[in-house]
Amino acid sequence: MPAADHTPDTRLDPNALDLELSLLLSSTAPSGWRSAVEEAAHLLSEGYAGDRAAELHTLALLLFARTRSGDRTPRDVPVEELVQALDDPTAGENRVTEEIRQALAATGQYDTQRSPGDEPPLLRIFRPVSNRYGGPIPWSDEWDPVPPGPSPLDRAAKRLVSYLSTCQPGRRDALSRVPAVGDGPLYVEADRLFMASQTSLVPPSCVGGCPSHPRRLTVDGPDVTFVCEGCNTRRRSRQLDPAQVRLALARALGVAPSVHGSYSVPGVLHIALAEMPRGADPYMFNWFLARPKMESPGKIGRAKR
């Protein structure tokens, strides 16, 4: 059971459309990306559910690829054109994958020479949706690599063809149901930060060599960055997922997960590691926080330091 001073918010939807939009909208993305995301969300907003995130990502990337030259807006791209592009009867990788890849390269968003922690935001969005191996490439033995399977984009394309083919002609002219999501990063500061797995509570460490534990985070689209006050070192975190940070802040302060701007959390902020299911509440799964009659989170933090 959760600690006595923590009340889990069961109303939080970890797959809500506004949260998903905040994970796509980066302040460093090229011009035209935001309008592509918003138009994709508009087309999919009727009955949107969390299991349609891959469709949202795929459609936004395709709309961006088709309009990056600036000669038309995402709203100008006919639904019939989108269906025709996505409806690929051939086996293997859907043909729009290469079109998107070329569009990202042309806009400086496909720089694969950078380290994984320094990739452009659209590449960070494109990689997982186009991954045909479900993660790092597995090998059955030294000489027999496991063949690739359908990527989330491949599967989303088929669902999009079915969905968009039934769109009513007036759908795009209807009042948008897309929730408003503000511009700019989210800045989070807490007295103490802890990253939570099922069996551990670990403060982030500074990579600059100082003994300080970062207390500030910046969330910008798909990226989470630690900021160390001791030496002003900044580094992207591969242990934290932006959705988990946003949901932790929402539980702590009662704000919407899609907020932007600066927020300060008094006391300790516990954030589920990226490996945990999205929306997992550390007070419900972490061995230290979920134990009955446990000490306060602050005391746990001091004991773990």
PDB file of all heavy atoms in Angstrom, residues 214-238:
ATOM      1  N   PRO A 214      22.092  16.274  -8.991  1.00  0.00           N
ATOM      2  CA  PRO A 214      21.214  17.238  -9.670  1.00  0.00           C
ATOM      3  C   PRO A 214      19.806  17.250  -9.081  1.00  0.00           C
ATOM      4  O   PRO A 214      19.242  16.208  -8.761  1.00  0.00           O
ATOM      5  CB  PRO A 214      21.213  16.735 -11.117  1.00  0.00           C
ATOM      6  CG  PRO A 214      22.500  15.995 -11.261  1.00  0.00           C
ATOM      7  CD  PRO A 214      22.740  15.354  -9.931  1.00  0.00           C
ATOM      8  N   ARG A 215      19.263  18.459  -8.946  1.00  0.00           N
ATOM      9  CA  ARG A 215      17.905  18.628  -8.428  1.00  0.00           C
ATOM     10  C   ARG A 215      16.980  19.251  -9.465  1.00  0.00           C
ATOM     11  O   ARG A 215      15.817  19.482  -9.198  1.00  0.00           O
ATOM     12  CB  ARG A 215      17.922  19.528  -7.183  1.00  0.00           C
ATOM     13  CG  ARG A 215      18.775  19.024  -6.042  1.00  0.00           C
ATOM     14  CD  ARG A 215      18.641  19.907  -4.805  1.00  0.00           C
ATOM     15  NE  ARG A 215      19.025  21.293  -5.073  1.00  0.00           N
ATOM     16  CZ  ARG A 215      18.161  22.309  -5.102  1.00  0.00           C
ATOM     17  NH1 ARG A 215      16.874  22.092  -4.896  1.00  0.00           N
ATOM     18  NH2 ARG A 215      18.584  23.541  -5.340  1.00  0.00           N
ATOM     19  N   ARG A 216      17.516  19.548 -10.641  1.00  0.00           N
ATOM     20  CA  ARG A 216      16.721  20.213 -11.669  1.00  0.00           C
ATOM     21  C   ARG A 216      16.687  19.376 -12.940  1.00  0.00           C
ATOM     22  O   ARG A 216      17.682  18.752 -13.321  1.00  0.00           O
ATOM     23  CB  ARG A 216      17.297  21.597 -11.971  1.00  0.00           C
ATOM     24  CG  ARG A 216      17.139  22.597 -10.827  1.00  0.00           C
ATOM     25  CD  ARG A 216      17.681  23.958 -11.227  1.00  0.00           C
ATOM     26  NE  ARG A 216      19.132  23.917 -11.378  1.00  0.00           N
ATOM     27  CZ  ARG A 216      19.837  24.859 -12.010  1.00  0.00           C
ATOM     28  NH1 ARG A 216      19.218  25.872 -12.583  1.00  0.00           N
ATOM     29  NH2 ARG A 216      21.147  24.764 -12.079  1.00  0.00           N
ATOM     30  N   LEU A 217      15.536  19.390 -13.583  1.00  0.00           N
ATOM     31  CA  LEU A 217      15.327  18.667 -14.831  1.00  0.00           C
ATOM     32  C   LEU A 217      14.718  19.604 -15.863  1.00  0.00           C
ATOM     33  O   LEU A 217      13.915  20.472 -15.527  1.00  0.00           O
ATOM     34  CB  LEU A 217      14.362  17.491 -14.635  1.00  0.00           C
ATOM     35  CG  LEU A 217      14.797  16.305 -13.781  1.00  0.00           C
ATOM     36  CD1 LEU A 217      13.606  15.395 -13.543  1.00  0.00           C
ATOM     37  CD2 LEU A 217      15.912  15.544 -14.468  1.00  0.00           C
ATOM     38  N   THR A 218      15.095  19.393 -17.105  1.00  0.00           N
ATOM     39  CA  THR A 218      14.435  20.062 -18.222  1.00  0.00           C
ATOM     40  C   THR A 218      13.822  18.986 -19.106  1.00  0.00           C
ATOM     41  O   THR A 218      14.506  18.041 -19.503  1.00  0.00           O
ATOM     42  CB  THR A 218      15.430  20.898 -19.048  1.00  0.00           C
ATOM     43  OG1 THR A 218      16.015  21.899 -18.214  1.00  0.00           O
ATOM     44  CG2 THR A 218      14.723  21.572 -20.215  1.00  0.00           C
ATOM     45  N   VAL A 219      12.538  19.125 -19.382  1.00  0.00           N
ATOM     46  CA  VAL A 219      11.844  18.198 -20.274  1.00  0.00           C
ATOM     47  C   VAL A 219      11.449  18.980 -21.518  1.00  0.00           C
ATOM     48  O   VAL A 219      10.709  19.964 -21.438  1.00  0.00           O
ATOM     49  CB  VAL A 219      10.592  17.597 -19.605  1.00  0.00           C
ATOM     50  CG1 VAL A 219       9.904  16.615 -20.547  1.00  0.00           C
ATOM     51  CG2 VAL A 219      10.963  16.911 -18.298  1.00  0.00           C
ATOM     52  N   ASP A 220      11.961  18.547 -22.657  1.00  0.00           N
ATOM     53  CA  ASP A 220      11.707  19.249 -23.917  1.00  0.00           C
ATOM     54  C   ASP A 220      11.359  18.222 -24.983  1.00  0.00           C
ATOM     55  O   ASP A 220      12.249  17.576 -25.539  1.00  0.00           O
ATOM     56  CB  ASP A 220      12.941  20.055 -24.319  1.00  0.00           C
ATOM     57  CG  ASP A 220      12.657  21.029 -25.461  1.00  0.00           C
ATOM     58  OD1 ASP A 220      11.479  21.173 -25.840  1.00  0.00           O
ATOM     59  OD2 ASP A 220      13.612  21.650 -25.966  1.00  0.00           O
ATOM     60  N   GLY A 221      10.070  18.045 -25.237  1.00  0.00           N
ATOM     61  CA  GLY A 221       9.650  17.031 -26.198  1.00  0.00           C
ATOM     62  C   GLY A 221      10.065  15.651 -25.729  1.00  0.00           C
ATOM     63  O   GLY A 221       9.731  15.233 -24.617  1.00  0.00           O
ATOM     64  N   PRO A 222      10.850  14.925 -26.541  1.00  0.00           N
ATOM     65  CA  PRO A 222      11.233  13.559 -26.173  1.00  0.00           C
ATOM     66  C   PRO A 222      12.458  13.472 -25.269  1.00  0.00           C
ATOM     67  O   PRO A 222      12.924  12.371 -24.981  1.00  0.00           O
ATOM     68  CB  PRO A 222      11.543  12.927 -27.539  1.00  0.00           C
ATOM     69  CG  PRO A 222      12.068  14.066 -28.349  1.00  0.00           C
ATOM     70  CD  PRO A 222      11.288  15.281 -27.904  1.00  0.00           C
ATOM     71  N   ASP A 223      12.980  14.608 -24.825  1.00  0.00           N
ATOM     72  CA  ASP A 223      14.244  14.610 -24.091  1.00  0.00           C
ATOM     73  C   ASP A 223      14.086  15.046 -22.639  1.00  0.00           C
ATOM     74  O   ASP A 223      13.301  15.945 -22.325  1.00  0.00           O
ATOM     75  CB  ASP A 223      15.250  15.544 -24.768  1.00  0.00           C
ATOM     76  CG  ASP A 223      15.604  15.090 -26.173  1.00  0.00           C
ATOM     77  OD1 ASP A 223      15.819  13.879 -26.353  1.00  0.00           O
ATOM     78  OD2 ASP A 223      15.648  15.935 -27.086  1.00  0.00           O
ATOM     79  N   VAL A 224      14.884  14.415 -21.771  1.00  0.00           N
ATOM     80  CA  VAL A 224      15.003  14.805 -20.367  1.00  0.00           C
ATOM     81  C   VAL A 224      16.465  15.126 -20.107  1.00  0.00           C
ATOM     82  O   VAL A 224      17.351  14.326 -20.427  1.00  0.00           O
ATOM     83  CB  VAL A 224      14.553  13.677 -19.414  1.00  0.00           C
ATOM     84  CG1 VAL A 224      14.717  14.114 -17.963  1.00  0.00           C
ATOM     85  CG2 VAL A 224      13.116  13.281 -19.686  1.00  0.00           C
ATOM     86  N   THR A 225      16.723  16.297 -19.526  1.00  0.00           N
ATOM     87  CA  THR A 225      18.093  16.728 -19.253  1.00  0.00           C
ATOM     88  C   THR A 225      18.248  17.049 -17.776  1.00  0.00           C
ATOM     89  O   THR A 225      17.437  17.783 -17.203  1.00  0.00           O
ATOM     90  CB  THR A 225      18.453  17.984 -20.077  1.00  0.00           C
ATOM     91  OG1 THR A 225      18.242  17.714 -21.462  1.00  0.00           O
ATOM     92  CG2 THR A 225      19.903  18.382 -19.856  1.00  0.00           C
ATOM     93  N   PHE A 226      19.286  16.482 -17.161  1.00  0.00           N
ATOM     94  CA  PHE A 226      19.642  16.836 -15.791  1.00  0.00           C
ATOM     95  C   PHE A 226      20.494  18.100 -15.807  1.00  0.00           C
ATOM     96  O   PHE A 226      21.338  18.283 -16.688  1.00  0.00           O
ATOM     97  CB  PHE A 226      20.470  15.728 -15.131  1.00  0.00           C
ATOM     98  CG  PHE A 226      19.673  14.528 -14.718  1.00  0.00           C
ATOM     99  CD1 PHE A 226      19.974  13.272 -15.224  1.00  0.00           C
ATOM    100  CD2 PHE A 226      18.638  14.648 -13.814  1.00  0.00           C
ATOM    101  CE1 PHE A 226      19.257  12.161 -14.842  1.00  0.00           C
ATOM    102  CE2 PHE A 226      17.909  13.540 -13.422  1.00  0.00           C
ATOM    103  CZ  PHE A 226      18.217  12.296 -13.936  1.00  0.00           C
ATOM    104  N   VAL A 227      20.292  18.956 -14.825  1.00  0.00           N
ATOM    105  CA  VAL A 227      21.123  20.150 -14.661  1.00  0.00           C
ATOM    106  C   VAL A 227      21.721  20.112 -13.260  1.00  0.00           C
ATOM    107  O   VAL A 227      20.993  20.076 -12.268  1.00  0.00           O
ATOM    108  CB  VAL A 227      20.304  21.444 -14.847  1.00  0.00           C
ATOM    109  CG1 VAL A 227      21.221  22.659 -14.745  1.00  0.00           C
ATOM    110  CG2 VAL A 227      19.571  21.443 -16.181  1.00  0.00           C
ATOM    111  N   CYS A 228      23.050  20.098 -13.182  1.00  0.00           N
ATOM    112  CA  CYS A 228      23.733  20.043 -11.891  1.00  0.00           C
ATOM    113  C   CYS A 228      24.068  21.457 -11.426  1.00  0.00           C
ATOM    114  O   CYS A 228      24.742  22.207 -12.144  1.00  0.00           O
ATOM    115  CB  CYS A 228      25.006  19.204 -11.996  1.00  0.00           C
ATOM    116  SG  CYS A 228      25.940  19.125 -10.448  1.00  0.00           S
ATOM    117  N   GLU A 229      23.608  21.811 -10.238  1.00  0.00           N
ATOM    118  CA  GLU A 229      23.903  23.136  -9.703  1.00  0.00           C
ATOM    119  C   GLU A 229      25.365  23.274  -9.304  1.00  0.00           C
ATOM    120  O   GLU A 229      25.927  24.365  -9.329  1.00  0.00           O
ATOM    121  CB  GLU A 229      23.022  23.414  -8.484  1.00  0.00           C
ATOM    122  CG  GLU A 229      21.563  23.638  -8.818  1.00  0.00           C
ATOM    123  CD  GLU A 229      20.750  23.930  -7.575  1.00  0.00           C
ATOM    124  OE1 GLU A 229      21.088  23.377  -6.513  1.00  0.00           O
ATOM    125  OE2 GLU A 229      19.794  24.714  -7.664  1.00  0.00           O
ATOM    126  N   GLY A 230      25.987  22.156  -8.920  1.00  0.00           N
ATOM    127  CA  GLY A 230      27.355  22.220  -8.431  1.00  0.00           C
ATOM    128  C   GLY A 230      28.346  22.689  -9.475  1.00  0.00           C
ATOM    129  O   GLY A 230      29.246  23.481  -9.185  1.00  0.00           O
ATOM    130  N   CYS A 231      28.199  22.196 -10.719  1.00  0.00           N
ATOM    131  CA  CYS A 231      29.163  22.561 -11.762  1.00  0.00           C
ATOM    132  C   CYS A 231      28.479  22.994 -13.053  1.00  0.00           C
ATOM    133  O   CYS A 231      29.140  23.165 -14.074  1.00  0.00           O
ATOM    134  CB  CYS A 231      30.103  21.391 -12.042  1.00  0.00           C
ATOM    135  SG  CYS A 231      29.247  19.897 -12.596  1.00  0.00           S
ATOM    136  N   ASN A 232      27.150  23.128 -12.995  1.00  0.00           N
ATOM    137  CA  ASN A 232      26.362  23.578 -14.149  1.00  0.00           C
ATOM    138  C   ASN A 232      26.466  22.623 -15.340  1.00  0.00           C
ATOM    139  O   ASN A 232      26.313  23.025 -16.490  1.00  0.00           O
ATOM    140  CB  ASN A 232      26.764  24.993 -14.580  1.00  0.00           C
ATOM    141  CG  ASN A 232      25.635  25.690 -15.322  1.00  0.00           C
ATOM    142  OD1 ASN A 232      24.462  25.470 -15.032  1.00  0.00           O
ATOM    143  ND2 ASN A 232      25.980  26.520 -16.290  1.00  0.00           N
ATOM    144  N   THR A 233      26.760  21.359 -15.057  1.00  0.00           N
ATOM    145  CA  THR A 233      26.821  20.352 -16.115  1.00  0.00           C
ATOM    146  C   THR A 233      25.408  19.947 -16.518  1.00  0.00           C
ATOM    147  O   THR A 233      24.531  19.773 -15.680  1.00  0.00           O
ATOM    148  CB  THR A 233      27.594  19.108 -15.630  1.00  0.00           C
ATOM    149  OG1 THR A 233      28.915  19.493 -15.279  1.00  0.00           O
ATOM    150  CG2 THR A 233      27.651  18.044 -16.722  1.00  0.00           C
ATOM    151  N   ARG A 234      25.207  19.787 -17.820  1.00  0.00           N
ATOM    152  CA  ARG A 234      23.920  19.337 -18.340  1.00  0.00           C
ATOM    153  C   ARG A 234      24.135  18.017 -19.074  1.00  0.00           C
ATOM    154  O   ARG A 234      25.109  17.856 -19.803  1.00  0.00           O
ATOM    155  CB  ARG A 234      23.325  20.364 -19.310  1.00  0.00           C
ATOM    156  CG  ARG A 234      23.192  21.764 -18.728  1.00  0.00           C
ATOM    157  CD  ARG A 234      22.710  22.750 -19.775  1.00  0.00           C
ATOM    158  NE  ARG A 234      21.355  22.451 -20.199  1.00  0.00           N
ATOM    159  CZ  ARG A 234      20.269  22.951 -19.624  1.00  0.00           C
ATOM    160  NH1 ARG A 234      20.385  23.764 -18.599  1.00  0.00           N
ATOM    161  NH2 ARG A 234      19.068  22.645 -20.062  1.00  0.00           N
ATOM    162  N   ARG A 235      23.230  17.082 -18.882  1.00  0.00           N
ATOM    163  CA  ARG A 235      23.317  15.832 -19.640  1.00  0.00           C
ATOM    164  C   ARG A 235      21.929  15.254 -19.838  1.00  0.00           C
ATOM    165  O   ARG A 235      21.063  15.363 -18.965  1.00  0.00           O
ATOM    166  CB  ARG A 235      24.203  14.806 -18.931  1.00  0.00           C
ATOM    167  CG  ARG A 235      23.605  14.191 -17.675  1.00  0.00           C
ATOM    168  CD  ARG A 235      24.483  13.067 -17.156  1.00  0.00           C
ATOM    169  NE  ARG A 235      24.002  12.539 -15.887  1.00  0.00           N
ATOM    170  CZ  ARG A 235      23.156  11.515 -15.776  1.00  0.00           C
ATOM    171  NH1 ARG A 235      22.693  10.919 -16.858  1.00  0.00           N
ATOM    172  NH2 ARG A 235      22.764  11.079 -14.581  1.00  0.00           N
ATOM    173  N   ARG A 236      21.731  14.675 -20.998  1.00  0.00           N
ATOM    174  CA  ARG A 236      20.474  13.987 -21.258  1.00  0.00           C
ATOM    175  C   ARG A 236      20.449  12.676 -20.490  1.00  0.00           C
ATOM    176  O   ARG A 236      21.464  11.990 -20.372  1.00  0.00           O
ATOM    177  CB  ARG A 236      20.309  13.709 -22.751  1.00  0.00           C
ATOM    178  CG  ARG A 236      19.881  14.933 -23.553  1.00  0.00           C
ATOM    179  CD  ARG A 236      19.623  14.565 -24.995  1.00  0.00           C
ATOM    180  NE  ARG A 236      19.216  15.722 -25.773  1.00  0.00           N
ATOM    181  CZ  ARG A 236      19.060  15.707 -27.085  1.00  0.00           C
ATOM    182  NH1 ARG A 236      19.276  14.588 -27.758  1.00  0.00           N
ATOM    183  NH2 ARG A 236      18.688  16.790 -27.730  1.00  0.00           N
ATOM    184  N   SER A 237      19.282  12.355 -20.001  1.00  0.00           N
ATOM    185  CA  SER A 237      19.134  11.131 -19.221  1.00  0.00           C
ATOM    186  C   SER A 237      18.553  10.026 -20.084  1.00  0.00           C
ATOM    187  O   SER A 237      17.531  10.215 -20.744  1.00  0.00           O
ATOM    188  CB  SER A 237      18.213  11.376 -18.020  1.00  0.00           C
ATOM    189  OG  SER A 237      17.909  10.152 -17.378  1.00  0.00           O
ATOM    190  N   ARG A 238      19.206   8.875 -20.075  1.00  0.00           N
ATOM    191  CA  ARG A 238      18.665   7.699 -20.748  1.00  0.00           C
ATOM    192  C   ARG A 238      17.902   6.819 -19.764  1.00  0.00           C
ATOM    193  O   ARG A 238      17.281   5.844 -20.153  1.00  0.00           O
ATOM    194  CB  ARG A 238      19.798   6.906 -21.405  1.00  0.00           C
ATOM    195  CG  ARG A 238      20.586   7.722 -22.424  1.00  0.00           C
ATOM    196  CD  ARG A 238      21.666   6.919 -23.094  1.00  0.00           C
ATOM    197  NE  ARG A 238      21.130   5.887 -23.955  1.00  0.00           N
ATOM    198  CZ  ARG A 238      21.872   5.044 -24.667  1.00  0.00           C
ATOM    199  NH1 ARG A 238      23.190   5.121 -24.602  1.00  0.00           N
ATOM    200  NH2 ARG A 238      21.311   4.125 -25.425  1.00  0.00           N
TER     201      ARG A 238
END
